[in-house]
Amino acid sequence: MKRLISSVFFFVTSPRRFARERIKLPLAKFVYDTIDIYKSRTKKGVNNLREILFRGSIVALLTALIVWLSIFMYVAFYYVYVPTITHEKPVYLKFKPCEKWDVHKGICSFPSGSVHFNHKQQSLMAGQPYKVFLELIMPESPTNKDLGMFMVCADFHSTDGRLITNSCRSAMLRYQSVMLDILFKMVLSPFYMVRHFEEKQKIYIELFSSYLEPEDQKVSDIHIEIQTKHIEIYSAKFTISANFSGLRYIMFHFPILSAVIGITSNLFFIAFVSMISWYQIINSEEYLEYLRSHGENNPEDVHRTYILEKDTSSSEEDISVVGSEEGERLRRRGMSASEC
């Protein structure tokens, strides 16, 4: 009541001062405090946002680095572990032509050719089985049809010229009766007339079904010989194809599945190693800080004291945990006894 009477008296005697002290100054203080609160909150929010962006950038950078490192490790392992699946080389056959006074015409020796492998570009992986075959493109000429069976031999030589292995296989043109040949060519005669089809056959001669290259002897030259003088050949191609099995078969024939599994495994492994390394770095920094604060005159004594303090702190934590559990157990027993 007295405060109200004094306020009324103050308002009547000096209304301007009353309005300044009781209305204007409190209102200005309220506005200033409100602006200051929102300003501090905005500044704190900006600092928090800046810290979040900084930490997020570091996490994103480390995550991208780990992911690209995992991809690089898988790609490097793939190119080291999985060899080139096919090695193809053209075979340029050569022979001794017949002289003018020879009875035979054309070829007077066995057609033969050589294939050279450059180990810097193309090399066979030791322990990997390979299929080796020769592809011959032969015309369906009367000479080849009357030839029948013939032999094809291949000799594998090392870099020092020694013979590693050899193989000989028989081959011939596929048989087709005269009536079936006439009907077939009558039906497809338009394609033969526009040169879309030709009267030729591709003969695949498998020289090795599972060739394993020795580790101490690398194949450098392969000598091929066709043991007949009465043959006509358009072209020849030598092919070595890898026969994958096991993990190589999965990685080559299922590249997406194997890439996902391999990259994920590398990612978990790198993340695990990074976490362990980070934990070791934190512990080492804590130990260096302790060593710096307790002096470096006697590092062995300081290290022993640090280990004892760590053990004591861990044991005290265990005792506190056990004590809290024991107290909780006794408290429950007391409550149950009081209820009884």
Side-chain angles (χ1 to χ4, degrees), residues 95-191:
F95 54 89
K96 181 181 178 182
C98 297
E99 301 293 338
K100 295 181 180 180
W101 53 83
D102 289 336
V103 178
H104 302 286
K105 295 181 180 180
I107 301 176
C108 282
S109 66
F110 292 157
S112 62
S114 297
V115 176
H116 177 71
F117 280 89
N118 186 2
H119 292 288
K120 294 182 179 179
Q121 297 178 354
Q122 292 180 333
S123 61
L124 304 182
M125 180 176 289
Q128 169 64 42
Y130 289 90
K131 288 184 178 181
V132 182
F133 53 91
L134 180 68
E135 176 186 318
L136 298 177
I137 299 179
M138 302 171 56
E140 294 179 339
S141 60
T143 302
N144 285 336
K145 288 183 178 180
D146 296 337
L147 177 63
M149 296 182 67
F150 57 92
M151 295 294 295
V152 177
C153 295
D155 297 334
F156 285 43
H157 296 274
S158 61
T159 54
D160 54 0
R162 290 185 298 175
L163 179 64
I164 298 176
T165 184
N166 63 343
S167 175
C168 292
R169 294 289 187 269
S170 61
M172 66 175 295
L173 286 177
R174 295 181 184 87
Y175 173 75
Q176 194 172 15
S177 64
V178 178
M179 183 178 296
L180 184 61
D181 184 60
I182 293 173
L183 292 175
F184 183 77
K185 289 180 179 177
M186 285 179 61
V187 173
L188 299 178
S189 58
F191 297 99

Side-chain angles (χ1 to χ4, degrees), residues 44-232:
K44 186 177 180 181
V46 170
N47 293 332
N48 292 334
L49 180 61
R50 186 183 301 170
E51 185 177 359
I52 291 172
L53 291 176
F54 179 73
R55 292 183 179 180
S57 301
I58 293 177
V59 171
L61 181 62
L62 292 177
T63 303
L65 180 63
I66 292 175
V67 170
W68 281 108
L69 184 60
S70 303
I71 295 173
F72 174 77
M73 289 176 60
Y74 177 79
V75 172
F77 175 74
Y78 182 89
Y79 279 100
V80 170
Y81 186 71
V82 180
T84 305
I85 187 171
T86 304
H87 301 273
E88 294 183 350
K89 288 281 188 177
V91 181
Y92 301 104
L93 299 173
K94 57 182 179 180
F95 54 89
K96 181 181 178 182
C98 297
E99 301 293 338
K100 295 181 180 180
W101 53 83
D102 289 336
V103 178
H104 302 286
K105 295 181 180 180
I107 301 176
C108 282
S109 66
F110 292 157
S112 62
S114 297
V115 176
H116 177 71
F117 280 89
N118 186 2
H119 292 288
K120 294 182 179 179
Q121 297 178 354
Q122 292 180 333
S123 61
L124 304 182
M125 180 176 289
Q128 169 64 42
Y130 289 90
K131 288 184 178 181
V132 182
F133 53 91
L134 180 68
E135 176 186 318
L136 298 177
I137 299 179
M138 302 171 56
E140 294 179 339
S141 60
T143 302
N144 285 336
K145 288 183 178 180
D146 296 337
L147 177 63
M149 296 182 67
F150 57 92
M151 295 294 295
V152 177
C153 295
D155 297 334
F156 285 43
H157 296 274
S158 61
T159 54
D160 54 0
R162 290 185 298 175
L163 179 64
I164 298 176
T165 184
N166 63 343
S167 175
C168 292
R169 294 289 187 269
S170 61
M172 66 175 295
L173 286 177
R174 295 181 184 87
Y175 173 75
Q176 194 172 15
S177 64
V178 178
M179 183 178 296
L180 184 61
D181 184 60
I182 293 173
L183 292 175
F184 183 77
K185 289 180 179 177
M186 285 179 61
V187 173
L188 299 178
S189 58
F191 297 99
Y192 282 102
M193 293 177 65
V194 296
R195 298 296 179 91
H196 185 71
F197 288 164
E198 294 183 10
E199 296 183 75
K200 63 181 182 181
Q201 290 187 16
K202 288 185 179 180
I203 309 299
Y204 295 95
I205 306 165
E206 188 180 86
L207 300 172
F208 290 94
S209 59
S210 181
Y211 172 74
L212 294 174
E213 187 178 43
E215 295 183 1
D216 55 342
Q217 293 180 342
K218 297 291 185 180
V219 175
S220 177
D221 294 289
I222 301 172
H223 181 73
I224 300 169
E225 185 179 62
I226 301 174
Q227 297 181 350
T228 179
K229 299 178 182 179
H230 310 286
I231 191 171
E232 295 174 347

Side-chain angles (χ1 to χ4, degrees), residues 250-314:
I250 296 174
M251 293 180 68
F252 183 80
H253 291 280
F254 303 95
I256 298 177
L257 177 62
S258 60
V260 170
I261 295 175
I263 293 172
T264 305
S265 302
N266 293 335
L267 186 63
F268 278 108
F269 175 74
I270 296 173
F272 180 72
V273 173
S274 301
M275 291 174 62
I276 293 176
S277 302
W278 181 255
Y279 179 76
Q280 293 294 331
I281 291 172
I282 292 176
N283 286 341
S284 63
E285 290 181 354
E286 183 180 353
Y287 174 71
L288 291 175
E289 184 66 25
Y290 183 86
L291 188 66
R292 193 181 298 110
S293 61
H294 289 76
E296 300 180 358
N297 295 326
N298 296 320
E300 295 181 358
D301 296 339
V302 175
H303 178 71
R304 192 180 300 110
T305 306
Y306 177 76
I307 297 299
L308 289 175
E309 289 185 1
K310 293 287 287 184
D311 295 339
T312 304
S313 61
S314 61

